[in-house]
Structures are given as structure tokens and as C-alpha cells.
Amino acid sequence: MSTIVGLQTHDVRFPTSQSLDGSDAMNPDPDYSAAYVRVVTDAGDGLDGHGFVFTIGRGNDVQVKAIEALADHVVGLEVEPLLADMGEPWRLLTQDSQLRWLGPEKGVMHMAAGAVLTALWDLKAKRAGMPLWQLLATMSPQELVAAVDFRYLRDVLTEDDALELLRAAEPGRAERMATLLRTGYPAYTTTPGWLGYDDAKLERLSKEAVSEGFTQIKLKVGSDLQEDRRRMGIARAAVGPDIRIAIDANQRWEVQEAIDWVGELAEFDLAWVEEPTSPDDVLGHAAIAKGIAPTPVATGEHMMNRVLAKQYLQAGAVQVLQIDATRVAGVNENLAMLLLAAKFGVRVCPHAGGVGLCEAVQHLSMFDYVALSGTTQDRCIEYVDHLHEHFATPVVIEDGHYVAPTAPGAGTEMLPESIAAYEVRNDS
Amino acid sequence: MSTIVGLQTHDVRFPTSQSLDGSDAMNPDPDYSAAYVRVVTDAGDGLDGHGFVFTIGRGNDVQVKAIEALADHVVGLEVEPLLADMGEPWRLLTQDSQLRWLGPEKGVMHMAAGAVLTALWDLKAKRAGMPLWQLLATMSPQELVAAVDFRYLRDVLTEDDALELLRAAEPGRAERMATLLRTGYPAYTTTPGWLGYDDAKLERLSKEAVSEGFTQIKLKVGSDLQEDRRRMGIARAAVGPDIRIAIDANQRWEVQEAIDWVGELAEFDLAWVEEPTSPDDVLGHAAIAKGIAPTPVATGEHMMNRVLAKQYLQAGAVQVLQIDATRVAGVNENLAMLLLAAKFGVRVCPHAGGVGLCEAVQHLSMFDYVALSGTTQDRCIEYVDHLHEHFATPVVIEDGHYVAPTAPGAGTEMLPESIAAYEVRNDS
């Protein structure tokens, strides 16, 4: 038996605003950051659990503080029983009634729980000697269901429904695992499309994306319609008619404005329209989805919890669910969202980029392919070529696909030298 | 001209869990707390702005930290232009793209903005020599509309719609102000109904409520159906048939469970059913509202922002909107929610209790009566007899009504000796 003896945090910030990487209509100058946590045990096996919340700069110290507020909930606990039933740490970290008041189940406090939960999943995977996707894909349906909180979901998804979905995917797991290891998981790239890039850079990066094997790119839009039309024209000319182009408005529009704006861009053949309006507006997205059909609506990177995801699916407000590794309460809640998507037959194309989001979220899509939806049809994981060098097991992209990681863990471990180089010390 | 020279914070916690005051099915042992902020100027007039976020204990330090993260946004600014257009501090405090990522517009970071905004409203009211309700009720429709963020609301409420609602209420303002000062605003009391109280205390407090002039009480339910039936029986017998009894489940139920459970209590003639399920579940509440009609659904104390309020109203998911003084981004966002309610013709009965919520929220209902909805019909503000003694201008209840405050300010100023006595010092 071993014990959790520490929960170490770091406020890590990369000065990305200097290069306008990551610039969009809502976020003109992000400094990609991580509120980082390491769960330390006394096992003496050299294995820690690593997790983080991705933020874009200011406020990363608040996020770190929220993670620290959870230390008392895990430090001192025995590791083995905690990792044997991953529903238990979920309850400990999200169901403290006093901390829950600060959400409930949303925002800073909820994401903090997610960082610690993901660190525990990382530890569990490392102890199992497996990458997280493989650990999840070899857990029994019962173990997986035990890790999911079905509260507030049961009107559309019960424990029995989830078991049925997982059991239905058991045939073929081994073959799909072999396929995944051979071919990887489809990716698309946002690298060409940041708003802050000039035309030449947009054109060059669009062409590079195609030559690197990507079959979909994404452009940021929403600041100026004529500019968007011009940039879409450049991108479409650069990639040709066979490459999909998605657009991302980063919440810039009102409901009718979204419908009108997208109508003006429809001639460019849009793969999807992402975050057209407030991420909280289920009914607004439902109206937009109706108004721009058959162009699909995509959203999820700010979808705060499984209850919101449930409603998006119920209302037909999302056609492409973009789960995010650190927006919700970790692997547990993303399992809930994958199950909901599977129940509704909606495809999942995760949000990634930022700091370590690609490293983390790929495991969830790969699990989904092997052990839940059973397909990669029309699915792809976002890829942005930023900051991967800071991670112990950086993603590998080959021919427009994420290569399935084989290193043990959840992909969330940052290099100690990167932490040391980019850690901000707050003495406030 | 004067300048904001400081933003002082305090982590204030009252050990209410020792008495089970405030105990309900979701929150068994709250320690009512305030993440408190004082906006200090160099005006030399002795007037500061006071605001806070109500929490229930653990995590209050995280909430304080979030308020501190906003210091750079206001310290150093000139006071007079800032207070002349209250839309400006809203934009400064809620639209920082990096901090917004931590929500957006929800949870710890959003409530922090609310505390600072409310402190600025407190300062504005004190400088005007008026209680906040009166300040708001004498502002022009244009000034009020300028304080509201209509982003993501315009599909149901535009600036012009809001102006029209406010102008329509201009006739009769003076008469209603006189009526308010004479008779106060109706209150209801939750004091009898906490889950932790025994039967004798429930019965005694229920009878006391009636003798004190309240015409509505509220009971916490949701832990055990037979217990709820028994306690409802005691309360109904104690108050007689003419007093309204509302019930509050504090988010305990699934959708169908709520419909079934409420059905078993309907014989007791329910004034409303409060927080039957997740506060994020608009579609769930809509289904519950349909399933328990004509019993009204009430919710709002965890309604994170105006976008969620909009959807509740669009979906017919709430019949009693319970705005909360500190859950959203302050007075500004509560003005948005009052305007939305007025647009949909839905009554507002604020959530209160906790620490200082009665003191703060009364101003919003009184403004609404004088200058927006123009009525108190079927409306009442929650009242709980806790912790008022710690405030500079504690609420006064007479004959089941909130007496309209006449002291300048927003009611949010806590006594310095109370802060000193209950402040927690965190050296983490």
C-alpha cells in the first residue's frame, strides 16, 4: 500500500501573445498557460500523477489556488483503493458541498477538480504500464460506468444505457486497437488560420497543411465579414476543393447574426461552424443549427459540464461535439460526454491546442474509437503545432494522423525543465 | 477628481455549521462566509465601496484570490468617469479575454467581478446619498440600459426593448416610491424549514412566522419522501390553510424523480418547487414545469449568468425567477435578469439568506417594483434571520415586509468589528 503525500502545483505561463499564435476574435493576445499539478506518492516507484488546467494567462494563479484548495481531499489517502474505483476520487473532489457552491460543477473550481482527477488517471495508467487510451479501452464496462457520475443525466442516459453501449462495442476491440496502432487517429489543423496571421502566412501554412497530409484545416473568423470572405478565398484557393475547411467564431455572434454571417460564407463549403455564440446558449445554438443546416454546428471547448452537453444533444444544438481535456472535471466527466455523444449518435472531434491539450485529449478519442463508438468516420482531433516540446511524451503526427501513444500515462506530464523555465512565482 | 487607490479583501467565515442553520439536502453543514472586498479611494470623503461573494465555507479563499486578481483592473482608475457609466466597469471586469477564459461568465471568476461591481455600485449610491434601490429607480432608462450587457440576449431582448420596458414604467414611479417607503416589500421566511431542525423547532418557528406577519414560509425537502410528507404535515397544521408553503429541493432530483416526488407532496398545496434538479438543466426544468403544472417551478440562486436566465424564460422552465445578489456579475447582470423577467412577464422572488444576501438583494426588488415591473403582486423576497447584525445597515422586517432602506449604499457594508472577529487568515 502507498499513500498520497503531496499535491504540488505550478503556475506555468508561456508568452505566446508575443507571436499572435492562438489569436482569435475573442482572444486577441493569449499567453498559453497551465495551472499544473503533480500528485506525489510514497510508493518509491518513481511514478507520480500529472494533470493541469489550460488557461490563457491572467488568472492562472487563481486556477492554481483552486487546485491547492483540493489538497486536503487527497493528501493522506491510500493510493490503491482510490485508483481501484475511479468514481471515488470523483466524489471526493466534486461533491464537497462547500466547494461545490462555487460552481456548482463549473468554472475554476470544477476545472481544478478535473486537473487532480486527470493526474490520478495519469498515475493509474502509469502504474498499469499503459497509455491512458489503452487503459480505458481495457477496463470493463462496469469499471468505466463506475467512474461516471450519472446524476442529472438519467433522463437521457442511465447506467444501464451506458453498459449497453460499452458492451455493444466489445466485439472488435482488439482489431480496432491494432488498426489504431497501425494508422493512428485522424487530425485536422488550426495552425494556418489564426486571425493575427497575414495573408502570405495563411496561404503558406494552408498549403503546408495539405502537403503534410491533413484533410481538414480551420480558420478563425468573426471580426470582419469581408475580411473573412477574403481569407476564406485565399485558404480555399490554397488547399483546393477536396480539403475540408471549418470556421471558428469563438463566440462572437448573436443568434441571428451567426445565421446571417455564416450564410455569407456558405459558398466556401464549410466543414462546420464552431462556437458561433455563447457556449452557454443551448437554445441559441439550436436555432443557429436550424438556420444554417446542413452546415454543422460544432462546440465544446467551453462546455462547462455534462449537464450542458446533455442539453446540447437533446436539443439538436450540436452536430460536432468538441470535448476538451481540461474544461470539465477530467477524464471522468469526459467519459460521460463520450457516452452521451454515443447515445445520441453525434460525432466527437475534440478541441485541442493550447498547452498540452493535444497530448491529453487524444487518449479520449482513441478510447472512444476502440471501445465505444467504434468508428473514426468523419471524426478528427484538432491539432496545433505549439508547445509540444514541453511535454514528456509529445504527440506525434504522421500523415495527418495522431500516432497512438504507447508510453504509459495520460500524456499530461510536462518536462521539469520547462516548468522551471516558465513558472511564474506569485508572492501576492 | 479622485482615484481608486486600493482593493482590500477579507476572507470572512461564520461557523454556522455548528447550529445546522442553513442545512439542506445538498448542503448539510455550511459555514456561511463572505469573500469580501472594499474599494478604497483617495477622495477623503470617508466613502468606500463594499461588496462580497457569499460562499458556504471551504473555497472562500479561492474566491478571495479571484477578487484580488481584479485589482489591476480598477486600482489607479479615476472614480468619477468610472461611476458615470456603469457599463464601463462591467466591461473592464468581465471582458478581460484572459480572465474570461476561466468561465466564461460563470463560477468563481464571474462572481469575483460581481463583488467588485457591486462595491462600485455601493460607492456610487453612497456618493449620491441614496440607497441603491432609489439610485437605480431615479436613473434614466438610458443610463440603466448602458449598465447592462446585451450580448447574447438580443434574440429575445434588445437595448430598444429594454428602453421600452423602462419607459413604460416611468408613469407612477413617484407614487410607487411613496408606497414602498410606507409599506415595504413583501417577504417570506425560510427560517422554520431547515432540514437539520427537529419537529418541535419546525412547528414553533412555523407558528412564529405567521404571528410575525409572514404569509409564506419555505421548507427544505428532498432527502426522504416520507420525512418530507411528515414535515409538510406539521408545517401545514401549524400555519393553517391560508399561508403559502414553498418547498426547496436544493438540486437533489433527477427530472422524472422531481415530477414523481412533487406529485406526492401536491396535496399540501405548494406555493412553488425550488431547485428541483441541476441549476444548469434548462430542458430538465422545462420538463419538470410541464410535469408538475400548475405548481410553479422556482430557481435562480445558482443561475450562473444572464444567458442561462434567458433560456429558462424562453423555455418556460421557470415560473418564479430567484435572482441572487452575488451569484452573477453584480448589480449589472441582475439588471439584465430583471429586464428579461419583465420582458417575459415572469415574477421575481429573490433568493436571500446566507451572509448579507437579504441586505443586498432587497434593493433589486425594490427598484424593480418602482421602475420596472411596477408590481409586488405574488412577489416576495426570501428572508432568513441570520447574521444581519454584522452589517452596517441590517435589513428591517416589519409585519412580513422588508422596510425600504433609506441609508445610502447597496447594503453590502459589513461592520469592521465583524470582519475582524471572523476573518480567517490563510498563509498558504
Side-chain angles (χ1 to χ4, degrees), chain B residues 35 43 45 51 55 62 67 75 89 97 114 173 204 211 214 218 227 233 254 275 282 354 378 385 392 402 423:
Chain B
D45 56 2
T55 84
V62 177
I67 294 172
V75 174
S97 63
R173 273 194 187 198
R204 175 172 60 79
S211 69
F214 292 101
K218 188 168 78 185
E227 272 293 290
E254 302 289 317
E275 287 208 309
V282 175
D378 292 328
D385 188 12
Y402 277 78
E423 182 160 16

Side-chain angles (χ1 to χ4, degrees), chain A residues 152 251 280-281 310-311, chain B residues 152 251 280-281 310-311:
Chain A
Y152 305 138
Q251 316 170 25
D280 304 329
D281 196 352
K310 176 186 79 168
Q311 294 175 81
Chain B
Y152 305 138
Q251 317 170 23
D280 305 328
D281 197 351
K310 176 185 79 167
Q311 294 175 82

